[in-house]
Amino acid sequence: MPRPEPIKAVRGVRDIMPADRPLWRRAERSAAAVAERFGYEEIVTPIIEPAELIERAGEDSDAFAKELYRFVDRGDRAIALRPEATAGVVRAYFEHNLNQGPQPSRLYLIGPMFRYDRPQKGRYRQFFQLDVEAIGSAGPALDAEVIEIARDWLSTLGLGDLRIELNSIGDHRCRPAYLEELKAYYRPLAENLSAESQRRIEQNPLRLLDSKAEQDQPFKARAPRITDHLCDECSAHWSAVRRLLDAAAIEYVLNPHLVRGLDYYTRTVFEIFPAGAAGQQDALAGGGRYDGLAEAEGWPPTPAVGFASGLDRVTDLMAAGDSSPVAVVVLPEGELDVAASELARICRTAAAVAVDYETRSLESKMRSASKRGARWVVIVNEEEASRRVARLRDMTQREQTEVRWEELPTRLA
Ligand code: HAM
């Protein structure tokens, strides 16, 4: 009998192999650690949701409908594989009465999302997100807080060189008038625009601002800016968010064309890119305030803010960079196995540590520690071991100081 064709994975999904799992685990663990340090608790919601829940959250966003994995189950119910976590987290918040507890509820989730998009590098049909949501508060401090979480997490992973783009898109009070102004600006220009943008003038004018089509670009620059048309409340919120970010020394650039793909946003929106990259496709994270989503889902109006970050993209960059899971390498000079392992044990109370026990020159050990991307090197020879001191070398600053063994954990923390 002829052997049947072997069956390969579904298009646009991927296997995360054992060789890559340590990187992913590191990203996931530090996501949990950073979120928890800010008082966020983990929530796990189902991968399947009623299709209507997702559809209500993305009412007029065309991408949403086209990309949704939607099917009818054996009980004739319309089900969606979640394309993002926010709609489900908000549903769970109300369904389990978190709205009756202390506000805001600070929640995070890590898990797979599904979008039927055209697969390419960094864009998959099943991908993983860290999702962070603060539900039940309108305060601008929370907008700044979730941006700080994203920044801290990416920095911890060695991806601190970021471009944070920020905008405000107003709310139900000021946006309608602005949209009329935007339509009035674009209508006479219609025939010069891409077909997609022509369609959007009446249907979804805000999205004209993030058109990627070459021929639309010159018109974007002169388009009216929503930040010039904010109502007093949105305007006060907008300056408060920026003030808070300034005070936290978080750098950002204002991007008046940033509107985001999902329709539920109000006020603050942001996207985070690796510095140097441009375009939607490279965003490491995106989010914003969504004060209207709860109501769109049929719950009492409830303000909220959050972001999500794609772990596939983050781990890709971590792999490309030279960040290392080993923060410290202990380099004994000579036959010092016992001393070196004691030294490593002390350092391990503060950081991930490896010992280079090989018998080769100090220079060659230094080269290999630098190749692994170690942040610190701790060098010790016999004389130093007898005094219980070591040379601590900062591999980025290229500075070296003598430190007592007992002081190492505080220096490395
Ligand atoms: P989003 O911008 O659609 O926002 O997705 C957030 C991040 O998920 C993106 O910046 C990107 O890193 C990653 N991502 C999106 N699509 C793909 C894909 N096809 N393949 C790989 N990675 C992808 C949201 O999902 C909102 N729920 C964020 C949010 C939370 N807003 C408020 N709270």
Side-chain angles (χ1 to χ4, degrees):
M1 220 172 63
R3 223 188 301 163
E5 270 291 300
I7 297 166
K8 306 268 180 66
V10 169
R11 182 170 144 81
V13 305
R14 50 188 201 149
D15 301 303
I16 300 165
M17 300 306 289
D20 294 324
R21 271 305 294 164
L23 207 65
W24 278 75
R25 263 210 342 256
R26 191 148 67 85
E28 291 157 5
R29 281 185 185 164
S30 74
V34 172
E36 283 166 18
R37 219 189 305 134
F38 279 80
Y40 286 67
E41 295 175 287
E42 189 175 21
I43 181 169
V44 176
T45 64
I47 284 165
I48 51 174
E49 291 283 358
E52 198 188 343
L53 176 83
I54 309 293
E55 282 158 357
R56 280 200 209 165
E59 192 106 60
D60 347 287
S61 94
D62 20 292
F64 226 64
K66 269 196 300 208
E67 292 177 5
L68 196 61
Y69 270 97
R70 192 183 196 282
F71 62 96
V72 175
D73 75 2
R74 291 170 198 273
D76 265 346
R77 285 170 287 254
I79 303 289
L81 297 186
R82 63 179 181 197
E84 53 114 36
T86 313
V89 171
V90 168
R91 176 197 54 67
Y93 163 89
F94 285 104
E95 230 177 304
H96 301 279
N97 303 319
L98 294 186
N99 58 328
Q100 325 254 308
Q103 299 301 299
S105 267
R106 290 180 161 93
L107 303 167
Y108 76 91
L109 175 151
I110 299 172
M113 309 294 153
F114 304 84
R115 295 185 194 178
Y116 193 84
D117 203 349
R118 201 162 52 82
Q120 52 189 281
K121 184 163 168 51
R123 187 177 298 176
Y124 307 100
R125 289 185 174 172
Q126 173 180 290
F127 59 98
F128 290 78
Q129 278 187 347
L130 159 67
D131 182 75
V132 171
E133 313 286 2
I135 309 175
S137 166
L142 288 156
D143 306 35
E145 178 173 288
V146 297
I147 294 174
E148 188 170 353
I149 294 175
R151 195 273 316 254
D152 279 9
W153 174 55
L154 293 167
S155 303
T156 309
L157 299 177
L159 307 177
D161 197 8
L162 300 168
R163 190 177 78 251
I164 302 178
E165 297 192 358
L166 192 67
N167 195 18
S168 169
I169 56 168
D171 67 4
H172 65 279
R173 276 167 298 211
C174 47
R175 195 156 46 196
Y178 167 73
L179 293 182
E180 285 312 313
E181 193 151 327
L182 199 58
K183 284 186 203 171
Y185 166 81
Y186 270 109
R187 275 187 198 121
L189 304 170
E191 58 187 30
N192 306 307
L193 300 175
S194 64
E196 180 78 7
S197 287
Q198 291 190 18
R199 204 174 48 73
R200 282 180 168 160
I201 295 179
E202 302 305 327
Q203 284 178 7
N204 196 353
L206 209 52
R207 295 300 306 276
L208 286 162
L209 297 176
D210 75 350
S211 159
K212 299 284 173 290
E214 197 61 51
Q215 72 206 86
D216 298 342
Q217 301 311 311
F219 307 107
K220 277 167 51 170
R222 285 190 294 275
R225 297 182 167 194
I226 184 145
T227 42
D228 297 331
H229 295 77
L230 297 177
C231 58
D232 290 347
E233 291 84 347
C234 286
S235 186
H237 190 94
W238 175 226
S239 20
V241 171
R242 285 175 298 152
R243 227 179 15 252
L244 285 152
L245 291 173
D246 293 339
I250 295 175
E251 284 180 31
Y252 53 86
V253 290
L254 302 179
N255 177 358
H257 299 141
L258 178 63
V259 296
R260 311 264 308 130
L262 301 163
D263 290 326
Y264 53 57
Y265 291 104
T266 49
R267 297 190 172 172
T268 315
V269 289
F270 61 92
E271 277 184 351
I272 304 181
F273 298 84
Q280 179 93 21
Q281 200 195 317
D282 299 307
L284 291 178
R289 180 160 279 287
Y290 51 96
D291 294 348
L293 177 61
E295 207 175 356
E297 289 188 10
W299 306 105
T302 305
V305 63
F307 77 90
S309 177
L311 283 161
D312 300 77
R313 294 181 192 177
V314 167
T315 51
D316 262 4
L317 275 191
M318 288 166 69
D322 59 356
S323 59
S324 157
V326 174
V328 185
V329 181
V330 174
L331 303 185
E333 267 188 286
E335 292 277 310
L336 278 175
D337 286 3
V338 175
S341 64
E342 183 184 348
L343 198 46
R345 219 168 289 120
I346 293 170
C347 296
R348 232 166 251 138
T349 57
V353 183
V355 185
D356 190 336
Y357 289 114
E358 303 311 304
T359 47
R360 48 188 173 152
S361 73
L362 186 62
E363 291 83 74
S364 115
K365 288 186 185 191
M366 285 290 280
R367 264 200 306 278
S368 131
S370 149
K371 240 189 230 160
R372 313 170 70 136
R375 168 86 171 76
W376 304 97
V377 157
V378 177
I379 309 163
V380 66
N381 62 25
E382 207 173 333
E383 185 274 325
E384 289 161 330
S386 70
R387 290 191 291 127
R388 294 183 72 79
V389 297
R391 277 160 283 162
L392 175 65
R393 187 173 172 83
D394 181 331
M395 298 294 274
T396 35
Q397 308 288 332
R398 296 171 190 282
E399 284 165 8
Q400 199 164 297
T401 42
E402 189 177 281
V403 179
R404 292 201 341 231
W405 289 9
E406 278 58 38
E407 277 168 19
L408 280 165
T410 22
R411 296 291 293 271
L412 298 171

